[in-house]
Amino acid sequence: MSQRIHVQTEINGEAQDFLCDPRESLLDVLRNTMGLTGAKEGCRNGNCGACNVIMDGILVNSCLVLAVEAEGSSITTVEGINTPVGLHLIQQKYMDHAALQCGICTLGLIVATKALLDHNPAPTEHDVRLWLAGNLCRCTGYDKIVRAVLDAAEAMRENV
Amino acid sequence: MTEKTPTLDTASESKYRIIGKRVDRYDAADKVTGQAVYGADVHPSNLLYGKVLRSPHAHARILSIDTSAAEALEGVHAVITGADLPSVSDRIVDLGETATSLRYQSDNILAKDKALYFGHAIAAVSATQPYIAEEAVSLIKVEYEILPPVLDVRKAMRPDSTLLHDDIFTDELGQKSTQASNVASHIRHAQGDVEAGFRQADVIIEHEFETTMVHQGYIEPHNATAIYNPSGQITIWCSTQGSFGVRSQTSDVLDVPISSVHVIPTEIGGGFGGKNSIYLEPLAVLLSKKSNNRPVKLTMTRAESLAATGPTSGSYIRVKLGADANGHLTAAKLYLAYEAGAFPGSPVGSAAGSMISEYRISNVLIDGYDVVVNKPRTEAYRAPGTSNAVFAVETVVDELCEKLGMDPIAFRLLNAAKEGDRRPDGPTHPRIGFIETLQAAQSHDHYQTPLDGKYRGRGVACGYWGNWGGRSSVSASMNADGTISLITGSIDLSGTRTTTAMQLAETLGIDLEDIVPQVADTNSVSNTEGTYGSRTTFATGWAAHKLGCKLIDAVKERAALLWDIPVDTVDYEDGCIFSKANRLTFKDISKYLDETGGPLMVSATSFEGGHGPSATTHIVDVEVDPDTGKVDILRYTAIQDVGKAIHPDFVEGQIQGGVVQGIGWALNEGYFYNDEGQLLNANFLDYRMPTFLDVPMIEAVLVEVSNPRHPYGVRGVGEVPIVPPPAAVANAIHDAIGVRLTALPMSPARVLEAVWEQTPSAYLG
Ligand code: FES
Ligand code: FES
């Protein structure tokens, strides 16, 4: 058996370490080793965004990150998005706008939306569509998601 | 960004308290926080991971399989091949929306003598880690004798074609032929005298069309986790549209009693028809059995999902329509050859029943052929088989309108079917709202607003789909506080826990918050068909209504005991039980359960006819880039008769999602095979589904023509939205650049070729 590697990270604000095989992706370790199954696998090659996490402030497809690359980094998964007092406004707006059907794309989308709004608090419809173009959703036709994101942006601007 | 359009309520009901309201969805919070458990998230103790070895050849005889090196790899627990599956009979098994022979079902799950498509499962492995299982399958040595692949539906039909199976004899209009063939069956619907109909016509248009296979494209690939325990009891967790279907199919394929199979459905990441049939479940069970009864999880990669599950048929279609000078359709002659994939069972039958059913035509002849080819076995996909057929029909209708100089909606209004008219395949239409959708389209702002600009065009197309009812089961238990636990067997793909609870709350006259809905496993509720055929809100909702009526009877009986009066002097209205002298709320009865007989539990089932067909009219504006051939969707409006929209957000979502899938089918999606039959685009970069950037807002207009045969007027809504888009887009492209495209997808390359053909000088720049 190949040599397993010890990796130290911070996940959702808590220090975490794990052992992994060099060929394992961050997605596999999050799901299979850490039990954080909020990141989903839709394609395993960077085409769908279902596995999105934020790594050191940057939105990444965790299926394309080797687990060993996470050494020393800080990772936010969808499980780390909600606030101590409850749902994040982004999550609330997805619910209010019925912006999910099956929900498998939703977790990655919520992470991607968080990264968008951290980076651009006042996006236009086009900005939203461009930023989220790496996240496939097969159920909704995107309409209600775009509305939810624009509404979340507005609500978050009012909140600060 | 367009504003939300209000519901056009032709049924005029504001009589409901809960139905029709945009209430919170019961399972939404778990689905935005990551707590909802999907199939691949299941992790029983002592879990092993599986992997499937798949054929790199489209058509090959399997001469030998050597699994010794895989078995010797450290961490590997078991290897199985086709020889591990029991041999099964030829009886027909139900796959939900389709059916197949049990032997074909078994052969699709693991190839026995022959690999019949690129990606056909050959063997499977269990190991301690997914990457060890992956390494192990690469060590399995298979010796193949490569056979010529049969890839083209028309060539496959020729008597001299290479055969996939030597035991398929064409079912020729009910008669078995004597010579083996790739044509599994030929069906026909005939009405009137089609040749006489064409003689009455002043304009006749005929075209040939070709379409390629497309995939349902759910974002969650197939998965299954199973335990075969030492006493032979089987537990399966999986993402499926129907847990009872998984139970019966698995018991059939493994030849074990149905009672030994316990299916626990998880949340499901999309299905669209593609998650009715089983693929991985028997493999996970057999691997578990051979791995010392440890649980085994199998998940497909995206490439496996595209190459080996799902798609719907590619097709060759001929459409000939005639109309008189006044615009009345006089005759229709339709020819459909559908790729079934490696085993019989294409949706050619449902296509024939719905492709032209929204029109009144006296003279119709439809011939349909179900043809096997060396491609994956097709599965249902949203209004199975109909979008490609309607692409053909509605393109020809558009050309008829052009030749007659008629407005496309006026032409359709003239020919629209209504209640009492006969469909070409026999049944008579119940109350349908096709005319209402046309009228709403005609007066809609989108149709009324002129479209300006070079290379811009507008297209209209319509669609029809029969929908389905089927079997559903629900039960209710009253909790100590008077709330109700509602159990349903219906898998919730997009909010049906909530729409089922809404119908129960409406019947009972109680608050929705007082009902807690839950999807149950196969041991906890009775038989319930899968969530397909646009049936769940209709049929499971109907069961919930019956459940409510039974609960009302039950609480009246309890109150009669409590008040010591005859039960026929007890009444129920608006959530209250009362007699002349007494009054209790529905919830209050919970305080008196013990003194009136103990716990209160009621169940109900439905197996009704009366599912109302859906009709729809779509309008689309496009812009064609003459240099690249790329087509942009500028505006899209889908107007649909939805019966009664129980939850308008969810109905709009079904329409918007179906339209965008249809746009993908129209413009980009399609399977590309090389001459050897290997799928060249088995990933989401090359199998190009619409992204956020590819589509505008999709306006869904809900026309409510209540279904008189359902307690709340529901008719299915989920499937018909995918029917018109390819045709609507094709008609818009014609309006934009004057070119009729007759093949799907209408990719940039195809559009550009058509432009060059029409104007060779364009090619020269
Ligand atoms: S699973 Fe990572 S992008 Fe699809
Ligand atoms: S909600 Fe199903 S894929 Fe987006």
Side-chain angles (χ1 to χ4, degrees), chain A residues 155-160:
Chain A
M156 284 165 67
R157 288 198 303 274
E158 280 163 12
N159 254 18
V160 287

Side-chain angles (χ1 to χ4, degrees), chain A residues 4 21 23 31 40-42 44 47 91 100-103 107 129 132 138-144 147, chain B residues 2 25 32 38 40-41 131 134-135 215-216 219 301-302 493 652-653 656-657 669 690 692 695 698:
Chain A
R4 287 161 73 80
D21 193 273
R23 60 190 143 178
R31 291 179 53 80
K40 302 298 180 191
E41 179 181 309
R44 214 185 183 181
N47 293 330
Q91 293 167 317
L100 58 142
Q101 286 183 33
C102 78
L107 295 318
R129 288 187 181 276
L132 297 179
R138 190 59 157 173
C139 298
T140 64
Y142 303 113
D143 183 303
K144 292 182 190 299
R147 291 174 201 277
Chain B
T2 46
R25 175 167 161 186
V32 297
Y38 292 77
D41 304 337
Y131 49 85
E134 228 168 272
E135 194 175 328
H215 197 267
Q216 294 82 348
I219 303 301
T301 62
R302 178 54 48 184
L493 279 147
E652 289 161 5
Q656 291 162 337
E669 293 178 35
F692 273 91
V695 288
I698 306 296

Side-chain angles (χ1 to χ4, degrees), chain B residues 339-359:
Chain B
E339 297 173 341
F343 301 97
S346 77
V348 70
S350 68
S354 48
M355 66 191 290
I356 201 160
S357 286
E358 73 272 34
Y359 297 120

Side-chain angles (χ1 to χ4, degrees), chain B residues 233-408:
Chain B
Q233 287 153 351
I234 293 167
T235 305
I236 298 170
W237 294 263
C238 61
S239 303
T240 173
Q241 290 176 243
S243 49
F244 287 86
V246 170
R247 185 174 72 162
S248 63
Q249 292 171 47
T250 305
S251 103
D252 281 340
V253 167
L254 294 179
D255 198 19
V256 296
I258 202 163
S259 55
S260 70
V261 183
H262 177 203
V263 178
I264 305 175
T266 62
E267 299 301 334
I268 171 172
F272 315 109
K275 289 184 185 158
N276 291 312
S277 178
I278 56 169
Y279 295 92
L280 300 173
E281 289 80 354
L283 306 183
V285 172
L286 290 177
L287 285 169
S288 170
K289 188 177 178 182
K290 271 193 150 181
S291 304
N292 231 345
N293 311 105
R294 284 176 69 171
V296 175
K297 169 151 64 178
L298 282 159
T299 53
M300 286 195 197
T301 62
R302 178 54 48 184
E304 290 179 283
S305 164
L306 286 165
T309 75
T312 192
S313 303
S315 58
Y316 166 78
I317 299 171
R318 267 198 317 266
V319 173
K320 182 178 177 185
L321 296 181
D324 66 21
N326 298 322
H328 288 104
L329 285 164
T330 59
K333 194 172 171 184
L334 314 168
Y335 174 99
L336 311 168
Y338 271 46
E339 297 173 341
F343 301 97
S346 77
V348 70
S350 68
S354 48
M355 66 191 290
I356 201 160
S357 286
E358 73 272 34
Y359 297 120
R360 208 167 9 135
I361 317 176
S362 318
N363 308 298
V364 185
L365 182 65
I366 307 178
D367 283 295
Y369 297 85
D370 183 34
V371 185
V372 294
V373 292
N374 289 116
K375 296 180 183 178
R377 182 188 71 184
T378 55
E379 301 292 343
Y381 178 24
R382 211 166 195 157
T386 305
S387 298
N388 45 329
V390 163
F391 163 63
V393 166
E394 289 288 89
T395 296
V396 173
V397 166
D398 198 64
E399 194 168 337
L400 276 180
C401 297
E402 184 196 349
K403 293 276 149 36
L404 290 164
M406 280 183 78
D407 170 80

Side-chain angles (χ1 to χ4, degrees), chain A residues 1-2 4 20-21 23-24 28 31-33 37-48 50 78-82 87 90-92 94-98 100-107 109-110 125-126 128-147 149-150, chain B residues 1-4 22 25 28-29 31-36 38 40-41 43 49 51 74 128-132 134-135 215-221 268-270 272 297 300-302 381-382 493-494 649-650 652-654 656-658 660-661 669 683-685 687 689-693 695-699:
Chain A
M1 211 182 252
S2 52
R4 287 161 73 80
C20 67
D21 193 273
R23 60 190 143 178
E24 281 185 282
D28 283 340
R31 291 179 53 80
N32 297 338
T33 310
T37 54
K40 302 298 180 191
E41 179 181 309
C43 70
R44 214 185 183 181
N45 54 14
N47 293 330
C48 79
V78 73
E79 289 90 345
I81 299 271
N82 43 340
L87 293 175
I90 294 170
Q91 293 167 317
Q92 188 60 51
Y94 270 72
M95 289 172 61
D96 293 348
H97 287 265
L100 58 142
Q101 286 183 33
C102 78
I104 200 81
C105 69
T106 310
L107 295 318
L109 269 164
I110 284 171
E125 181 186 337
H126 181 76
V128 171
R129 288 187 181 276
L130 186 61
W131 183 275
L132 297 179
N135 292 74
L136 291 173
C137 170
R138 190 59 157 173
C139 298
T140 64
Y142 303 113
D143 183 303
K144 292 182 190 299
I145 301 175
V146 175
R147 291 174 201 277
V149 173
L150 290 170
Chain B
M1 197 170 132
T2 46
E3 286 301 303
K4 276 192 183 176
R22 297 173 193 260
R25 175 167 161 186
K31 287 182 175 162
V32 297
T33 55
Q35 292 306 323
Y38 292 77
D41 304 337
H43 198 104
Y49 297 87
K51 181 77 189 167
E74 192 184 338
T128 50
Q129 292 292 339
Y131 49 85
I132 296 175
E134 228 168 272
E135 194 175 328
H215 197 267
Q216 294 82 348
Y218 30 76
I219 303 301
E220 175 204 42
I268 171 172
F272 315 109
K297 169 151 64 178
M300 286 195 197
T301 62
R302 178 54 48 184
Y381 178 24
R382 211 166 195 157
L493 279 147
S494 55
D649 275 346
F650 299 173
E652 289 161 5
Q654 288 297 313
Q656 291 162 337
V660 170
Q661 280 185 319
E669 293 178 35
N683 65 70
F684 274 156
L685 201 60
Y687 185 85
M689 308 197 307
T691 71
F692 273 91
L693 258 186
V695 288
M697 292 298 187
I698 306 296
E699 187 175 349

